[in-house]
Amino acid sequence: MNQNIRQKSLPEDRRAFWDQFYAKSAGSWELTLPSQFAAFVANEIDRQSHVIDVGCGNARDSFFFSRHGFKVTGMDASEAAIASAQKHAQKQGGDDLEFVRTNLKDGLVERVLSERRSETVCVYARFFLHAITDDEEDALIRALRSGCRPGDVVAFEYRTLADRATTKIAAPHFRRYVSATDLDAKMEASEFRKCYGVEGGGFAKYKTEDAIVARAIYEKTQ
Ligand SMILES: C[S@@+](CC[C@H](N)C(=O)[O-])C[C@H]1O[C@@H](n2cnc3c(N)ncnc32)[C@H](O)[C@@H]1O
């Protein structure tokens, strides 16, 4: 039985959902605490890295990386999210923080990778893979394959198949539960070696919700 939430699967529906979601909070935007995953990744990667936060949303993790000295590009499809992040970047961010709107299929991830601001890049995507379609995931992986260089790192945290049955408190939106095994195979076929991986509860707890997620870090091999 397919329990993925498909009612908001059309691109314009999903865009409208996220635009309304971020527009609602734009007036009361504040520098929020980072996700647990961001703190974990910051401790794993080179301090000189250029972090590309794909699907950055309200950009709390982009600002966290930036304030800790990383060069950061936050990317998202939501105009409201990007406009709000750009507005606050100058005052609240670090020295090297920018935001770019993308839909993944417009070549912008490839362009940001080709205009990298550091020897090493970390493409960071939290709670993103399950919020995009199969096609969009394939477009992202193609961009990573062509744009990343050996030694670049990719860090993902996403809801897995085992999360289908958990109780959600966040507003219902498009969710595509991801098979960690399938994703690992796709990444391996795209010249990425898995360096770290874990799956379970307790990693992304939010109030009464405890999502079953996978965390994975991959390194480009060639
Ligand atoms: C669940 S939110 C995650 C936000 C943030 N990473 C976090 O952890 O709080 C998913 C984000 O993906 C963005 N998104 C969805 N489809 C996209 C696409 N095709 N290209 C770029 N961003 C997209 C949405 O606008 C939304 O901000």
Side-chain angles (χ1 to χ4, degrees), residues 11 14-15 17-19 21-22 35 37 53-62 75-79 81 100-106 109 124-133 136-137 157 159 173-175:
R14 287 186 290 128
R15 229 182 354 256
F17 171 87
W18 288 113
D19 267 336
F21 182 84
Y22 294 120
S35 67
F37 187 53
D53 182 1
V54 184
C56 63
N58 73 359
R60 62 182 178 147
D61 289 346
S62 305
M75 306 187 80
D76 202 281
S78 163
E79 197 168 354
V100 175
R101 193 170 164 218
T102 183
N103 62 14
L104 297 181
K105 294 186 173 175
D106 48 16
V109 173
Y124 171 90
R126 178 192 177 266
F127 272 46
F128 180 62
L129 292 182
H130 62 252
I132 60 175
T133 61
E136 289 167 339
E137 178 184 289
E157 184 180 64
R159 293 180 188 268
H173 60 81
F174 174 81
R175 292 194 184 101

Side-chain angles (χ1 to χ4, degrees), residues 24-204:
K24 235 187 260 171
S25 54
S28 57
W29 191 94
E30 56 176 298
L31 197 57
T32 47
L33 294 170
S35 67
Q36 298 158 56
F37 187 53
F40 167 72
V41 170
N43 279 286
E44 294 290 312
I45 61 176
D46 190 306
R47 286 304 290 262
Q48 305 304 316
S49 300
H50 176 186
V51 176
I52 303 176
D53 182 1
V54 184
C56 63
N58 73 359
R60 62 182 178 147
D61 289 346
S62 305
F63 279 88
F64 163 74
F65 284 114
S66 175
R67 287 163 72 98
H68 283 82
F70 295 95
K71 300 169 180 65
V72 178
T73 305
M75 306 187 80
D76 202 281
S78 163
E79 197 168 354
I82 292 297
S84 164
Q86 280 170 337
K87 183 171 149 200
H88 295 97
Q90 225 170 359
K91 279 195 183 153
Q92 306 272 15
D95 292 340
D96 209 335
L97 173 64
E98 65 169 8
F99 291 95
V100 175
R101 193 170 164 218
T102 183
N103 62 14
L104 297 181
K105 294 186 173 175
D106 48 16
L108 286 176
V109 173
E110 289 89 328
R111 189 192 299 174
V112 170
L113 280 165
S114 74
E115 293 169 359
R116 58 181 54 222
R117 302 205 298 280
S118 177
E119 278 295 301
T120 327
V121 159
C122 170
V123 177
Y124 171 90
R126 178 192 177 266
F127 272 46
F128 180 62
L129 292 182
H130 62 252
I132 60 175
T133 61
D134 293 319
D135 279 2
E136 289 167 339
E137 178 184 289
D138 288 344
L140 175 63
I141 294 177
R142 274 197 304 277
L144 299 179
R145 181 181 192 155
S146 66
C148 287
R149 295 182 191 161
D152 285 351
V153 165
V154 173
F156 288 144
E157 184 180 64
Y158 56 92
R159 293 180 188 268
T160 63
L161 297 176
D163 187 60
R164 275 184 179 149
T166 64
T167 307
K168 317 284 187 298
I169 59 171
H173 60 81
F174 174 81
R175 292 194 184 101
R176 179 188 61 101
Y177 298 96
V178 178
S179 155
T181 313
D182 290 355
L183 180 68
D184 287 348
K186 278 194 206 176
M187 291 297 284
E188 202 177 310
S190 304
E191 301 164 356
F192 285 91
R193 175 181 71 87
K194 191 172 184 182
C195 320
Y196 172 84
V198 69
E199 179 176 355
F203 295 109

